[in-house]
Amino acid sequence: MIKAIVFDFDGLTVDTEYALYESFCDILEMNPGNLPINEYAVHIGTDSSSLYNFILSQSNGLLTRDEIIEKSAVLHKAKLNKPIARDGIEDYLKAAKAQGLKIGLASSSYREWVEHFLIKLNILHYFDVIQTRDNVKKVKPDPELYENVVKLLGVNPREAIAFEDSANGSKAALSAGLNCVIVPNKITEHLPFENYHLKLASMADKSLEEVIDSIEKSVKLLKK
């Protein structure tokens, strides 16, 4: 029986990912699409070091790593000045509260970044537990973030559903023993996902009740 749901943040709760991609395109003076999304998306959902190294490799020596970090941060923040939650996210949060489910968030980003947007969107109050890179030694795809969340929520991993948009995030959730629902965005829809329990184009496609019902039925079938 499902007792908790756990959300990723970047790209899942708010599509910060495409705004970041556009920021990198701007500083590289490329049109979106010319920066290869298939290669770019592999670096999403984990520590940003590999992503910055990838952008550095695309800069043809015109930018330093520090310049990439500094310039992209300014542009990224400006593009997200008026953040919008992804379709269905608040409906899921409301439904979870109405059903008495516990709600967690597991993000490889810093807490300050995450809470800034949750406050701005007026959805911070929904979350019982938030774990970010401030709380762990290793971020996704390491399972530590999810292990922390379910422990603090007081549920068995199999009693929780993780909602993820990236391959690194889904690996973390599955390694921690959670059921995993993939909801990719414009960047991560190009990634190959494995071993997930359900995949949605948008959280608006199915109600939370339908998602839980689907997961619980699939788990029962696996036990037979």
Side-chain angles (χ1 to χ4, degrees):
M1 182 177 178
I2 299 301
K3 297 180 180 178
I5 58 174
V6 186
F7 294 95
D8 173 48
F9 177 70
D10 287 289
L12 187 285
T13 302
V14 178
D15 192 2
T16 58
E17 302 293 8
Y18 196 74
L20 182 59
Y21 173 79
E22 287 183 319
S23 300
F24 287 132
C25 288
D26 289 348
I27 64 174
L28 293 172
E29 297 183 358
M30 290 182 176
N31 292 321
N34 289 341
L35 179 62
I37 291 180
N38 286 354
E39 296 175 43
Y40 176 92
V42 173
H43 306 281
I44 297 300
T46 184
D47 186 280
S48 55
S49 296
S50 65
L51 180 57
Y52 290 129
N53 289 337
F54 172 71
I55 299 302
L56 182 62
S57 74
Q58 301 292 307
S59 70
N60 297 317
L62 298 176
L63 295 166
T64 66
R65 195 173 187 276
D66 287 343
E67 285 174 331
I68 289 169
I69 294 171
E70 188 176 324
K71 290 182 178 182
S72 64
V74 172
L75 288 169
H76 194 204
K77 187 176 180 181
K79 290 178 185 292
L80 292 170
N81 187 46
K82 295 180 179 179
I84 299 172
R86 284 191 67 188
D87 288 347
I89 186 76
E90 193 161 7
D91 291 335
Y92 275 32
L93 291 169
K94 288 177 180 177
K97 282 296 183 187
Q99 293 178 46
L101 300 177
K102 296 179 180 180
I103 305 174
L105 187 146
S107 173
S108 294
S109 292
Y110 288 104
R111 180 176 292 267
E112 182 181 9
W113 171 262
V114 172
E115 289 193 349
H116 165 77
F117 291 102
L118 297 181
I119 291 168
K120 207 160 187 177
L121 292 166
N122 194 31
I123 58 174
L124 176 63
H125 63 281
Y126 286 107
F127 295 93
D128 300 302
V129 168
I130 293 175
Q131 289 287 287
T132 65
R133 68 179 304 151
D134 306 81
N135 305 111
V136 295
K137 292 180 180 178
K138 292 183 179 180
V139 295
K140 304 170 188 177
D142 189 275
E144 188 177 3
L145 278 163
Y146 278 107
E147 290 170 348
N148 282 6
V149 170
V150 293
K151 183 177 180 180
L152 290 168
L153 288 175
V155 299
N156 185 289
R158 287 298 170 201
E159 298 172 330
I161 299 174
F163 290 87
E164 274 286 353
D165 68 292
S166 73
N168 286 313
S170 66
K171 287 174 186 175
L174 291 166
S175 294
L178 284 77
N179 303 286
C180 188
V181 176
I182 304 299
V183 193
N185 54 52
K186 287 190 288 185
I187 297 295
T188 59
E189 66 185 5
H190 302 277
L191 291 172
F193 291 93
E194 298 177 348
N195 302 319
Y196 56 84
H197 297 83
L198 183 66
K199 188 175 182 181
L200 304 173
S202 165
M203 283 173 275
D205 289 351
K206 282 184 182 290
S207 68
L208 180 61
E209 292 85 352
E210 289 173 318
V211 169
I212 291 172
D213 185 56
S214 177
I215 295 292
E216 290 181 339
K217 283 180 178 176
S218 68
V219 170
K220 286 178 183 177
L221 286 172
L222 287 173
K223 286 181 178 179
K224 288 184 178 180

